[in-house]
Amino acid sequence: MTLLKITVDGVELAFGDLPVLDGVSFDVAPGEFVSILGPSGCGKSTLFGVLAGLVAPFRGRVLVDGAPAGRETFGYMPQKDLLFPWRTVLDNTTLGLEVGGMRRREARERARELFGPFGLVGFEKSRPAELSGGMRQRAALLRTVVQDREVLLLDEPFGALDSLTRTAMQEWLEDVRGRFGWTVLLITHDIREAVFLSDRVLVLSPRPAHVAREVRIDLPRPREVGVLTDPAFAAAEAELLDTLRGGTRL
Amino acid sequence: MTRADHRADHRADHRVDHRAGTEPGVTPSPALPGRTGRTDRSPARRPARGRTSLLGRVAPPVLVVLLLLVVWQWTVTALDVRPQVLPSPLRVVEQGWAFRDVLWANTVPTLQVTGVGFAVSLAVGWVLAVVVDFSPWLRRALVPLLVASQTLPIIAIAPLMIIWFGFGLLPKVLVIALVTFFPIAVGLIEGFSRADPEASNLLRSMGGGRWAEFRYVRLPGALPSFFTALRIAITYAVTGAIFAEYVGARAGLGIYMAQQKNSFRTDLVLAAVAVAALVSVALFGLTYLVERVVAPWIRRTRS
Ligand SMILES: Nc1ncnc2c1ncn2[C@@H]1O[C@H](COP(=O)(O)OP(=O)(O)O)[C@@H](O)[C@H]1O
Ligand SMILES: [Mg+2]
């Protein structure tokens, strides 16, 4: 669906004396779902910060169809849901539109259209504290999606959920992504989640990070729970686990 | 297809999906959000014990006060204390009632002074806090001065204010502002800086600048600590007003207390004290009302 190709080219970054990103390079094709796995603290969130335009890299570039990416290319969903208690759920989801200068009424109309597919109908006027963990994550995702950016950057969106809710959320994400045709970059520490959702999985090395391995997941879509028992699924999982283990031994 | 086309398609998709998603029975996947939505709704229920009824909150302090008054009354009667030294609570009430017109006539100016002084204090506190929040340089320059301002001995300053500015409104307003702007400014400054840095990243990723961050994150996020500071400040305000009047005024509870003390009407001094206490408690209660109107979400997140 998306028309633009993202190129991350040799991105390097350090925080003071701490080198974090050491020549990270990869491409994302339009409509592709790419997961990023890596040991914790290796620089995954930092990489998203670079893509979202929050930190400038020392070296390297982020390109959209060959031209330098702007901040409006990426829709960023941080690790914490950051839903504000002073806003209703609906007004939390319109935040990005309002910041972008859209009139409140129009913003609400736009966001409200997504409450159906996001399973939040009836909670428009609720406060975030009244939502369960899964619903909070969907609200945060809705807030990201409604901005209509080219690429979604999702930083461990299901990391804090219990495993049942997480599985349900993964299936749900697979389903809505297929329907909307989003281009997604997902950070996760859950190998199974990466394989289940992705077209491609990138494994980052320990800090300073570079792309240590790339695994293509050739499983048919739409995927459902049945795919978990597919031999190809198990093979991809094993390969990723192996790479990650090798990485931590270094 | 152009980029614009693609966006239009996106939106069309949204609409179609919306209808599919909300229609009962159309369930594209077992992990349907609608269902999760309903089953994991339970965290929304709030435990009843979180909130005590108004009666439950008011009754204990009232009981304690009544008990103290009974002890006081009994002691004064039993030891036969002279009323010039310590009048019984019943006498205070009785005389206070007899002089209610005078008391009221002196309460009104005190209320006015408190109101104006506190308004000035709020304005100063907000301006300082916002300025300091936007400029790290001014933060370094001003915060030590704010702290230093609190070491000024009001007891020495207040009479000087009368000498400089006379018996009118100004010296009293200044005394009240001086004793109350500090908690307000500090409460706000701390409230602003309590904002999650990740929230500011989120705002920036949305294309917002420093102003958007302030408006959408720092300002609302500071309201809980603002209201806490407001409650501290408002109790200082009444005391400050009475103190300023005590030093010199034409009318007001403070000067009334000073006059009655000089004519050994301890009962009327205490009656005026009681009125001042009632005013303080009422203003304190008012802050909760304001909070509930301005930021009803605070109460819900606190419980
Ligand atoms: N703003 C920052 N200043 C200094 N160090 C940072 C900052 N952000 C992250 N780091 C450090 O960079 C490393 C990578 O962090 P991060 O990208 O959050 O890792 P993760 O892969 O777990 O998401 C960590 O060692 C972290 O402590
Ligand atoms: Mg991280």
Side-chain angles (χ1 to χ4, degrees):
Chain A
M1 275 295 298
T2 320
L3 296 164
L4 303 176
K5 177 189 160 101
I6 307 298
T7 308
V8 177
D9 179 24
V11 166
E12 282 177 36
L13 184 78
F15 288 116
D17 290 339
L18 185 78
V20 177
L21 302 177
D22 181 28
V24 178
S25 300
F26 60 91
D27 291 338
V28 184
E32 203 179 12
F33 195 119
V34 177
S35 287
I36 296 173
L37 279 172
S40 78
C42 77
K44 303 182 292 295
S45 296
T46 307
L47 175 64
F48 270 17
V50 171
L51 297 182
L54 305 174
V55 246
F58 290 1
R59 216 165 287 140
R61 297 168 306 170
V62 181
L63 303 171
V64 180
D65 267 2
R71 204 172 267 176
E72 66 294 335
T73 307
F74 297 95
Y76 174 51
M77 177 174 167
Q79 218 161 331
K80 295 185 206 164
D81 61 47
L82 294 171
L83 296 171
F84 299 144
W86 51 84
R87 290 184 156 235
T88 61
V89 173
L90 179 62
D91 288 346
N92 264 289
T93 61
T94 60
L95 185 69
L97 298 177
E98 277 180 61
V99 170
M102 191 183 279
R103 308 275 291 293
R104 208 173 228 209
R105 254 192 54 193
E106 198 189 337
R108 281 182 176 161
E109 249 161 59
R110 271 245 237 147
R112 202 174 269 130
E113 285 177 15
L114 288 172
F115 269 61
F118 278 69
L120 292 167
V121 171
F123 288 90
E124 289 86 347
K125 295 208 168 96
S126 305
R127 296 281 163 169
E130 296 167 47
L131 303 185
S132 68
M135 297 172 87
R136 291 176 71 96
Q137 291 306 315
R138 290 200 298 273
L141 182 60
L142 201 163
R143 179 185 62 197
T144 315
V145 165
V146 76
Q147 296 178 76
D148 215 6
R149 305 280 173 94
E150 294 296 341
V151 183
L152 302 177
L153 303 175
L154 313 182
D155 194 347
E156 300 194 21
F158 311 139
L161 301 176
D162 64 87
S163 76
L164 268 180
T165 313
R166 188 189 308 176
T167 310
M169 290 285 288
Q170 289 160 357
E171 290 173 83
W172 169 78
L173 181 61
E174 163 69 7
D175 175 57
V176 283
R177 192 204 71 96
R179 288 195 271 160
F180 290 115
W182 299 324
T183 305
V184 183
L185 264 171
L186 172 95
I187 292 176
T188 177
H189 53 246
D190 180 341
I191 296 178
R192 195 166 270 223
E193 175 173 293
V195 176
F196 180 72
L197 292 169
S198 310
D199 300 306
R200 216 153 30 103
V201 181
L202 307 175
V203 181
L204 296 189
S205 68
R207 194 182 60 225
H210 60 269
V211 178
R213 181 103 186 218
E214 185 184 315
V215 177
R216 197 163 278 286
I217 314 291
D218 283 317
L219 292 164
R221 288 190 188 269
R223 296 175 190 163
E224 286 178 15
V225 213
V227 81
L228 296 176
T229 51
D230 194 302
F233 193 102
E237 221 181 328
E239 189 179 351
L240 288 167
L241 187 61
D242 212 43
T243 315
L244 276 169
R245 280 228 188 99
T248 43
R249 227 185 285 132
L250 283 175
Chain B
M1 240 165 108
T2 66
R3 191 167 162 151
D5 283 340
H6 140 66
R7 301 225 161 194
D9 274 1
H10 253 224
R11 244 163 270 138
D13 278 355
H14 292 184
R15 236 165 277 131
V16 170
D17 280 320
H18 168 56
R19 256 177 265 128
T22 43
E23 235 161 70
V26 183
T27 47
S29 114
L32 205 85
R35 198 188 291 168
T36 357
R38 240 157 277 135
T39 47
D40 52 22
R41 218 187 145 156
S42 46
R45 304 261 175 275
R46 245 161 230 307
R49 69 185 160 78
R51 279 184 203 161
T52 333
S53 67
L54 190 65
L55 186 72
R57 261 181 295 158
V58 169
V62 167
L63 275 177
V64 170
V65 167
L66 281 179
L67 187 73
L68 287 174
L69 288 177
V70 167
V71 171
W72 174 2
Q73 178 77 33
W74 180 83
T75 316
V76 168
T77 324
L79 302 179
D80 201 17
V81 185
R82 280 189 307 137
Q84 288 89 331
V85 177
L86 183 65
S88 75
L90 279 180
R91 187 188 162 98
V92 170
V93 170
E94 190 192 327
Q95 289 302 305
W97 183 251
F99 287 83
R100 60 186 179 278
D101 291 345
V102 191
L103 273 172
W104 178 243
N106 282 290
T107 305
V108 173
T110 302
L111 278 176
Q112 278 168 348
V113 164
T114 307
V116 176
F118 203 60
V120 169
S121 169
L122 275 173
V124 171
W126 270 93
V127 168
L128 278 174
V130 173
V131 161
V132 158
D133 192 57
F134 272 89
S135 159
W137 190 89
L138 283 174
R139 173 187 298 258
R140 266 174 276 135
L142 291 179
V143 170
L145 292 184
L146 299 189
V147 176
S149 77
Q150 295 309 293
T151 63
L152 292 178
I154 294 290
I155 240 176
I157 298 288
L160 291 181
M161 297 249 190
I162 306 268
I163 296 174
W164 297 333
F165 305 113
F167 287 85
L169 200 62
L170 187 59
K172 295 166 191 74
V173 167
L174 288 177
V175 168
I176 295 171
L178 192 62
V179 294
T180 60
F181 89 94
F182 186 71
I184 293 171
V186 170
L188 277 172
I189 290 171
E190 282 185 9
F192 291 147
S193 53
R194 203 171 295 156
D196 192 334
E198 308 239 1
S200 98
N201 279 344
L202 176 69
L203 265 284
R204 287 203 294 141
S205 83
M206 290 168 166
R210 186 60 173 78
W211 168 245
E213 187 197 334
F214 180 79
R215 178 178 163 195
Y216 292 108
V217 181
R218 299 176 84 86
L219 178 63
L223 288 181
S225 64
F226 167 68
F227 278 104
T228 306
L230 188 71
R231 283 190 256 289
I232 296 168
I234 198 101
T235 54
Y236 289 175
V238 179
T239 324
I242 287 171
F243 185 79
E245 288 169 350
Y246 204 92
V247 177
R250 286 193 201 92
L253 285 175
I255 195 69
Y256 182 76
M257 286 175 199
Q259 287 160 353
Q260 298 310 314
K261 187 208 77 177
N262 288 341
S263 43
F264 299 101
R265 288 302 304 266
T266 315
D267 48 356
L268 288 177
V269 174
L270 289 176
V273 168
V275 171
L278 283 179
V279 168
S280 279
V281 169
L283 289 175
F284 189 80
L286 195 64
T287 63
Y288 281 98
L289 211 67
V290 174
E291 181 189 286
R292 207 181 292 185
V293 173
V294 174
W297 56 271
I298 294 178
R299 203 162 147 263
R300 261 175 262 143
T301 43
R302 209 174 18 219
S303 62

